[in-house]
Amino acid sequence: MTGLLESWVDAVRHDRGRPEPAHTGSPEGRVDRACGELLGHMPWIAVSWPQAGEFAGEIWDLARSVSSMIRPSAPERGARIGNCPAVDTSGARCGAVLRLAPGEKAVRCEWCGNCYPPYVWAQLKTWIDEDTAAAGAA
């Protein structure tokens, strides 16, 4: 990571006619400096630099690689069913997005906790359709 970022800093400095001093310090400090410098040059990179596309591609690949290490992919969220039609004791409609997660046998609202097993899905669709129509008429 450090080497890639610093190579792009060097390329920007070279093309802008700026000195290219040695990169020293801890890896964390070097990454921080390189990112800061690249961000400082970003207006010029975006508007004037012929290598901007290649630079963006390599930075995108680096970001995806790092992201896969520090933030593993989220589990499948499931199919979107619609908005929860549940009404609480005050008469307020829940409205949270309902999803049927992979492998689940019932739709469960993450917000209000209502559970809709398969035998009520036809009625659930009717309620969702009615709420959608009412929201469109309002």
Side-chain angles (χ1 to χ4, degrees):
M1 177 186 322
T2 305
L4 176 72
L5 293 170
E6 289 175 344
S7 71
W8 282 111
V9 167
D10 291 343
V12 168
R13 286 178 181 171
H14 177 267
D15 287 359
R16 296 197 80 182
R18 303 221 172 130
E20 299 173 33
H23 303 284
T24 60
S26 71
E28 296 87 359
R30 291 169 59 188
V31 166
D32 190 46
R33 276 192 305 281
C35 288
E37 185 165 348
L38 290 169
L39 284 171
H41 290 287
M42 199 56 63
W44 176 81
I45 290 171
V47 173
S48 304
W49 201 31
Q51 294 185 60
E54 184 180 351
F55 166 71
E58 286 195 19
I59 296 300
W60 174 254
D61 289 343
L62 176 64
R64 280 187 319 155
S65 177
V66 169
S67 179
S68 72
M69 290 183 277
I70 63 173
R71 184 177 25 132
S73 60
E76 174 61 39
R77 292 175 26 174
R80 187 181 193 284
I81 305 299
N83 296 87
C84 182
V87 177
D88 67 16
T89 55
S90 71
R93 189 163 312 282
C94 174
V97 173
L98 294 174
R99 294 187 183 280
L100 181 61
E104 293 295 319
K105 302 294 184 216
V107 176
R108 181 171 175 79
C109 180
E110 296 285 327
W111 184 257
C112 72
N114 275 336
C115 187
Y116 304 96
Y119 68 86
V120 299
W121 287 357
Q123 183 60 54
L124 177 60
K125 177 165 179 13
T126 300
W127 290 330
I128 291 171
D129 290 347
E130 288 172 355
D131 289 347
T132 302

